Amino acid sequence: NFEGVWDRRVNSRGGGTAVLARRPWTVQRAATQSPDNPAESTRVIISPPNLAGSVITAASVYLSSGINIGQMSSARIRDALCINGTPVHFALGDWNAANEAWSVTPNNQPNVGHAASLLEALEELDMVLHAPDGPTTNNGRSTIDFMVHGAGVVPSAFAILPAMSNTDHLPLLCRVGIGGTTPLNFFRRTPIIPWEKLTR
């Protein structure tokens, strides 16, 4: 019942990124993963049925925890979030970004540069970060899986699902609307973390 686009992991063995769409929705690759970019992403165009000309752009992103901080620049993350220079509507993934505000454990602190580069990229692209309320890893301590999106995307629900076997991450489920607006004070529990809030 699904069709998808995927990329093998380019920086290490195993894993990779993918986007699936439930038929009759269709999905097609919109950009090619660069083997030189440590910010891995599968970027796609999703077409809903019976809505000719209407498309949704999305990305599945993986920022490797084994990449040197200096290599994970905001420009490389920005490239992973854009199609022909235009930001996707939304992107989800494993960001391996350490930041005290995201309740990341001390052993992830070497990746704190991923967080700084990610937030800089989001500011440049006018995108916001939408994190779930609780940890997203099986150790129950780290929030490193979340969504980033543009102003035209309105998340209405974000759920952390039960753990699957043979994985250290918990599945996330997010319901979104396209074509609306998201004021920065939309969420009372602050799951959206805009750049301005972290600078304070």
Side-chain angles (χ1 to χ4, degrees):
N1 293 328
F2 291 84
E3 60 180 80
V5 175
W6 59 89
D7 290 284
R8 295 183 184 276
R9 183 168 295 172
V10 297
N11 293 306
S12 60
R13 294 182 58 190
T17 53
V19 177
L20 301 177
R22 184 188 292 271
R23 296 187 180 99
W25 293 57
T26 60
V27 58
Q28 65 185 48
R29 185 182 304 278
T32 302
Q33 167 67 43
S34 169
D36 299 323
N37 190 348
E40 301 179 29
S41 69
T42 297
R43 289 158 287 171
V44 301
I45 295 173
I46 303 172
S47 301
N50 306 320
L51 290 174
S54 298
V55 297
I56 298 167
T57 55
S60 171
V61 178
Y62 174 70
L63 305 186
S64 173
S65 60
I67 296 298
N68 182 281
I69 288 174
Q71 293 179 282
M72 197 65 75
S73 66
S74 62
R76 289 181 163 180
I77 296 175
R78 191 173 60 242
D79 288 346
L81 294 174
C82 290
I83 298 172
N84 296 324
T86 301
V88 296
H89 285 109
F90 61 88
L92 294 102
D94 175 3
W95 304 87
N96 276 309
N99 187 289
E100 183 180 353
W102 304 340
S103 302
V104 176
T105 52
N107 61 355
N108 272 344
Q109 288 308 308
N111 300 319
V112 71
H114 290 8
S117 295
L118 171 62
L119 293 170
E120 185 176 341
L122 296 182
E123 182 188 33
E124 294 165 354
L125 296 174
D126 196 25
M127 299 180 81
V128 293
L129 187 156
H130 180 187
D133 289 337
T136 62
T137 56
N138 277 335
N139 65 19
R141 294 175 297 201
S142 300
T143 304
I144 56 177
D145 306 274
F146 43 78
M147 178 175 69
V148 301
H149 59 84
V153 177
V154 182
S156 60
F158 213 150
I160 302 173
L161 304 180
M164 301 172 66
S165 61
N166 300 319
T167 179
D168 58 343
H169 294 259
L170 303 176
L172 303 180
L173 175 65
C174 187
R175 183 183 301 274
V176 299
I178 305 292
T181 58
T182 306
L184 295 183
N185 61 355
F186 183 79
F187 290 94
R188 299 306 180 195
R189 287 177 293 175
T190 325
I192 288 181
I193 308 176
W195 172 259
E196 293 81 5
K197 191 165 293 183
L198 283 181
T199 60
R200 291 201 299 268

